[in-house]
Amino acid sequence: MGSIDKYIFKTTLASFALVLVSLTGVIWITQALRGIDLMTSQGQTILTFLGITGLVIPALVLIIAPIALMIAISHTLNKLATDSEIIVMNAAGFSPFRLFYPFFYATCVVAALVAFIGAYLAPDGMRRIKQWDAEITADVLTNILQPGRFAQLDQNLTIRIRERLPGGVLGGIFVDDRRDPQERVTIVADHGTVLKNESGSYLVLEDGNLERFEVGKRDPALVAFQRYAFDMSKFSNQGRDVTLGIRERYLWELMSPSEDDPVYKQIPGQFRAELHDRFMAPIYPFAFAALTFAFLGAPRTTRQSRNFSIGGSVLAVFGLRMVGFACSVMTVKTPWAALVQYLMLFGGIGVGIWMIVGGVVVEPPPALMETINRNNERIARFFRRPVTA
């Protein structure tokens, strides 16, 4: 690249990085606030909270990156036009297509970033979130049993604790166990602790009473105990086996899923839609870049308004992305919708390149401008009317 190309290339990537970080940060904060319960109710540290919520950033970048590129190209072109640099380069022999070279190089960098994120980084982050969340929520005794709340651990098992005391002691424990249809066990203990060993996890209750009511007997059996171990291994180990969803699959896992995969058997259409989304993710930056440059890259004087071109580029890119989302949803049940999405993307790139090569200048129709000017004059005359007494 020449010095001009390097200047435009660096300016575009710098603007892209700034916009990407800003938009991703704002959206990440809104997503992270939903997980604030991780710290407040489950007793996790701020580092754990930031670690889990930060793993969603690659998935956000996957969607935001093409939009950030469009904004960066628009900013760079507007800067070049404001300083009359596009006019000077055009007078020096730079055609619009030649001026598009550094933007194309920047788009290749963004497309490579999006391809890597879509193929590996985003699904890796999503599966780490699921695994981490499973490990955090696996220990029911630590995370689900909240003071003053009745926690239903199973269909017929309810546990309540009054408070958490220093040293991991649970105070005021109530257990209602109706899992055995032949008997009902109710336990009330003054306090208890959690014991974990190779045999499993146990809730060791101390200084309490156990009431067992058996079917067919008139009176329940009441037992006072000083120490009683209630087996909680079933609940302490739940959540360790994580079933990966579609978004947690790497690209190569979507390309050749196992025939025995229960998720693939249940929703093969979503596998197909997700696979096409991953393939098309690196194409969107090229479509956005071509359309944005086609609307804004033509040389104009500083007296020519660029508002119409900016609005047209935004509508074109927004429409392309919305139709892409619609086709992605339709691909789940209709395979040919993916073909429509491919044709739409490459058609947008083709139209953009055609406009760039042809030097098409996007300007509002004269009739529309005359109508707008007349309305502006009427509004101005209305506000200039003298006030009558």
Side-chain angles (χ1 to χ4, degrees):
M1 291 187 291
S3 58
I4 296 179
D5 292 335
K6 290 181 180 179
Y7 165 69
I8 297 175
F9 177 78
K10 292 179 180 179
T11 303
T12 303
L13 284 186
S15 302
F16 166 76
L18 180 61
V19 174
L20 181 66
V21 171
S22 301
L23 291 179
T24 304
V26 171
I27 298 177
W28 173 74
I29 289 175
T30 61
Q31 297 294 321
L33 290 177
R34 299 179 181 178
I36 199 68
D37 180 68
L38 191 66
M39 288 194 306
T40 57
S41 64
Q42 296 188 2
Q44 301 300 319
T45 64
I46 184 64
L47 294 179
T48 302
F49 170 74
L50 293 177
I52 292 180
T53 56
L55 289 173
V56 78
I57 291 179
L60 297 177
V61 172
L62 191 64
I63 300 175
I64 297 173
I67 300 174
L69 177 65
M70 180 207 72
I71 297 174
I73 293 176
S74 301
H75 168 74
T76 304
L77 289 173
N78 186 65
K79 180 178 181 296
L80 295 175
T82 302
D83 297 337
S84 300
E85 292 173 316
I86 294 182
I87 295 291
V88 173
M89 285 186 284
N90 182 259
F94 267 67
S95 65
F97 187 72
R98 176 62 184 83
L99 182 61
F100 182 63
Y101 282 7
F103 295 101
F104 174 76
Y105 300 147
T107 304
C108 290
V109 174
V110 175
L113 174 66
V114 170
F116 172 69
I117 292 175
Y120 174 77
L121 199 59
D124 184 69
M126 298 301 290
R127 65 171 58 193
R128 286 177 184 273
I129 289 176
K130 178 166 287 190
Q131 182 64 41
W132 204 343
D133 183 67
E135 292 176 358
I136 290 175
T137 58
D139 192 349
V140 176
L141 300 178
T142 304
N143 300 311
I144 294 183
L145 296 183
Q146 299 299 318
R149 296 183 182 180
F150 288 89
Q152 188 169 356
L153 306 186
D154 203 350
Q155 185 176 3
N156 294 310
L157 177 62
T158 304
I159 298 181
R160 179 186 183 275
I161 62 173
R162 184 180 67 247
E163 60 183 343
R164 290 184 179 272
L165 302 174
V169 178
L170 307 177
I173 302 173
F174 169 81
V175 179
D176 183 29
D177 187 359
R178 293 172 293 166
R179 292 174 294 175
D180 188 347
Q182 299 299 319
E183 64 177 15
R184 176 175 182 174
V185 177
T186 302
I187 305 173
V188 178
D190 181 76
H191 59 278
T193 56
V194 177
L195 175 63
K196 296 181 181 180
N197 53 33
E198 296 179 355
S199 302
S201 298
Y202 299 90
L203 181 59
V204 180
L205 307 173
E206 299 183 15
D207 298 333
N209 298 289
L210 182 148
E211 181 184 78
R212 177 180 287 108
F213 186 85
E214 299 181 9
V215 176
K217 294 186 178 181
R218 179 178 179 181
D219 299 322
L222 184 62
V223 179
F225 61 84
Q226 290 184 343
R227 189 178 179 88
Y228 180 82
F230 189 79
D231 190 0
M232 298 288 290
S233 301
K234 173 184 176 182
F235 307 101
S236 296
N237 294 327
Q238 70 177 9
R240 296 297 176 90
D241 297 329
V242 178
T243 301
L244 296 178
I246 297 176
R247 295 187 180 276
E248 290 87 28
R249 308 296 178 100
Y250 297 119
L251 179 62
W252 50 89
E253 294 176 339
L254 293 174
M255 295 175 63
S256 57
S258 175
E259 297 294 336
D260 299 331
D261 190 336
V263 180
Y264 178 70
K265 290 181 179 180
Q266 184 178 3
I267 46 176
Q270 292 190 17
F271 267 76
R272 178 177 58 248
E274 183 67 20
L275 177 62
H276 287 296
D277 283 345
R278 302 280 184 89
F279 281 148
M280 282 181 279
I283 305 177
Y284 272 102
F286 290 101
F288 286 10
L291 290 175
T292 303
F293 190 91
F295 277 88
L296 301 174
R300 291 182 177 88
T301 64
T302 54
R303 295 185 178 182
Q304 290 179 289
S305 175
R306 304 171 62 87
N307 295 332
F308 184 82
S309 298
I310 294 175
S313 65
V314 171
L315 289 177
V317 169
F318 179 78
L320 186 68
R321 198 65 188 92
M322 289 300 101
V323 175
F325 280 130
C327 290
S328 179
V329 174
M330 294 174 60
T331 304
V332 175
K333 296 184 178 180
T334 310
W336 59 262
L339 177 61
V340 174
Q341 194 171 2
Y342 282 107
L343 294 175
M344 176 191 63
L345 281 176
F346 287 107
I349 295 174
V351 170
I353 296 298
W354 173 77
M355 294 174 63
I356 295 171
V357 173
V360 178
V361 180
V362 180
E363 293 183 343
L368 176 61
M369 293 303 301
E370 291 179 4
T371 302
I372 294 175
N373 291 333
R374 285 197 301 267
N375 290 333
N376 290 339
E377 291 176 0
R378 291 173 182 173
I379 294 174
R381 285 198 303 268
F382 175 79
F383 284 103
R384 285 199 301 265
R385 287 180 180 178
V387 179
T388 58

